Amino acid sequence: MYNSYQGWYQLVNPEKFVKPIDEHMKSYKDGQVNFKSRLELKAIKYADFNKFVQKWSLEPFHVKYVKPTDGKVHRYFIDLFLEFQTGDKFIVEVKSKGETVPPRQPKKQTQKALVNYQRALQTYAVNEAKWKAANKFAEDQGMRFIILTEDELG
């Protein structure tokens, strides 16, 4: 998994970085941004070093969505915002590829395997609800919503 690696990254091109609107996530301080996975660090470095990225931000704002497991409205903080020199704007989710596809039913029907499968189904359903809300938000704002995995980030 990619989520055991986290820390602070010192911006090389801080003039491109736009501080988040909502400081709730505390993802920026003193020219550094907080990454929560190796994949997120790769995406941050891509944004920081790519000469075609004009502006970018980490966890810049939230999108409201209805969580299917409790029926309540929650806030989903977008991982990245990218604006290119062409004017194209993207809101980006960074996820490992395995988390972007429905979980497979376990071959062995043990109690533990079934509990883990149910948990994975719920997580996937929540992620789908977030992504659907993010996609609608992006379309309404003239942007595109994309999910980047290790396939795109290497």
Side-chain angles (χ1 to χ4, degrees), residues 45-60:
K45 286 181 177 180
Y46 169 84
D48 196 20
F49 285 102
N50 187 311
K51 66 182 180 179
F52 299 109
V53 173
Q54 184 175 329
K55 291 192 265 183
W56 71 280
S57 189
L58 180 67
E59 297 172 337

Side-chain angles (χ1 to χ4, degrees), residues 76-92:
Y76 162 43
F77 284 84
I78 302 301
D79 287 335
L80 289 172
F81 165 78
L82 301 173
E83 183 176 338
F84 288 84
Q85 291 175 348
T86 59
D88 294 324
K89 297 176 184 178
F90 296 84
I91 56 176
V92 181

Side-chain angles (χ1 to χ4, degrees), residues 100-143:
T100 65
V101 294
R104 289 190 222 149
Q105 195 163 13
K107 291 179 181 165
K108 293 184 179 181
Q109 301 290 306
T110 64
Q111 182 67 25
K112 183 178 180 180
L114 292 173
V115 167
N116 287 340
Y117 176 64
Q118 286 301 316
R119 189 176 302 125
L121 281 175
Q122 288 178 350
T123 298
Y124 184 73
V126 170
N127 283 341
E128 277 195 314
K130 289 177 181 180
W131 301 337
K132 182 178 177 184
N135 194 52
K136 172 138 180 36
F137 176 86
E139 286 177 1
D140 291 348
Q141 301 298 317
M143 298 185 276

